[in-house]
Amino acid sequence: MTLRNVLPMLVAIFGMASAGNAGMINTIIGNFDIAFDGQTGEITDFNRPDGGNLLPAEARTFSSLEIEVDGISEEMLMNPPDALWGDLKITNLGAELATGSLQNNVGGSGNPTAYGFDYFDGNGNNLRIGIDDISYTVVQTGLPGLNFFNFFAEGKVISQSLPGGWEYGEDVLLSYSATEVMVLSGQTGVRSLVASGVMTITGNMIPEPSSLVMMVLGSAASCCFRRR
């Protein structure tokens, strides 16, 4: 078998190996506190309005980080002993958040690669995601502290260095869900909100390069051996 015959086969095998190894990653961030302030029209990590610089003074600690790959837990960090921070900013949401129904594609800067959410820790791991607009729901029950807040957004990975060497593709989906929510009502909606909930970041995994190379070479060698 000549090199000319082998090259197309290698390209095809590489494509199949990439598809076969690509999986789904979920990064699950527990007990992350956020706030909405109608005076600024922003959702940020609680009591930390500045950010985007991977600085603990500008970020909020959270309790745990878990990385799942295809539904299997692969990495788990707990605070303590690990120092874990989250840094969030979503802008241009107006003076009040609407309640009851789903609000689609609101807020944002118009730049999908602008700073939106950062995770970082004391071990040098980090994940930086650009967020433009979000979709959200606020549900008030009338009982103190028993309200619901959820949002989700499409994001772009700006940079990453995840525990265990896992790696996202460029596009991810962020979702946040909280049942511990305190609100101050405005004229027609909510003018202030504080919540503690779970942030989940979901996206396709970039296959590990070394595993792809080994699969390609192994498959090519097997094919060549059978032909001979």
Side-chain angles (χ1 to χ4, degrees):
M1 180 176 289
T2 66
L3 181 60
R4 180 181 298 177
N5 293 329
V6 170
L7 282 177
M9 180 181 65
L10 288 178
V11 172
I13 293 172
F14 190 87
M16 289 187 292
S18 298
N21 279 269
M24 188 70 68
I25 304 180
N26 283 325
T27 297
I28 304 165
I29 292 170
N31 295 317
F32 182 47
D33 299 336
I34 68 169
F36 167 73
D37 184 352
Q39 292 185 337
T40 62
E42 295 177 344
I43 294 175
T44 65
D45 41 305
F46 178 66
N47 205 28
R48 300 289 193 274
D50 298 319
N53 300 300
L54 301 184
L55 295 175
E58 297 178 348
R60 188 77 180 176
T61 59
F62 57 88
S63 65
S64 63
L65 180 139
E66 181 180 12
I67 295 179
E68 293 180 346
V69 179
D70 290 335
I72 299 173
S73 180
E74 297 286 354
E75 312 289 338
M76 175 66 80
L77 301 178
M78 300 295 295
N79 183 14
D82 301 295
L84 306 172
W85 290 280
D87 202 353
L88 174 70
K89 178 173 281 189
I90 301 165
T91 60
N92 298 320
L93 292 169
E96 295 185 4
L97 297 179
T99 61
S101 60
L102 175 66
Q103 305 297 307
N104 281 309
N105 306 117
V106 296
S109 63
N111 179 4
T113 62
Y115 153 62
F117 176 75
D118 293 342
Y119 142 70
F120 59 102
D121 63 30
N123 300 316
N125 301 305
N126 66 81
L127 175 62
R128 313 193 73 180
I129 298 173
I131 301 174
D132 187 10
D133 54 30
I134 67 169
S135 299
Y136 73 85
T137 56
V138 179
V139 177
Q140 295 178 269
T141 66
L143 300 175
L146 186 59
N147 303 292
F148 303 91
F149 176 64
N150 304 275
F151 79 78
F152 60 91
E154 295 178 351
K156 296 283 187 183
V157 174
I158 299 171
S159 64
Q160 58 186 317
S161 179
L162 291 172
W166 303 102
E167 189 172 353
Y168 283 100
E170 180 183 16
D171 297 312
V172 294
L173 178 68
L174 290 85
S175 61
Y176 181 85
S177 180
T179 57
E180 298 180 30
V181 183
M182 300 293 294
V183 300
L184 289 177
S185 296
Q187 293 183 351
T188 60
V190 169
R191 60 185 173 90
S192 179
L193 177 150
V194 176
S196 181
V198 176
M199 174 87 79
T200 303
I201 303 159
T202 302
N204 289 322
M205 178 180 69
I206 294 179
E208 183 183 0
S210 60
S211 65
L212 287 179
V213 171
M214 292 303 294
M215 285 191 65
V216 169
L217 293 179
S219 299
S222 176
C223 290
C224 291
F225 180 78
R226 287 198 299 268
R227 287 294 298 270
R228 295 181 65 183

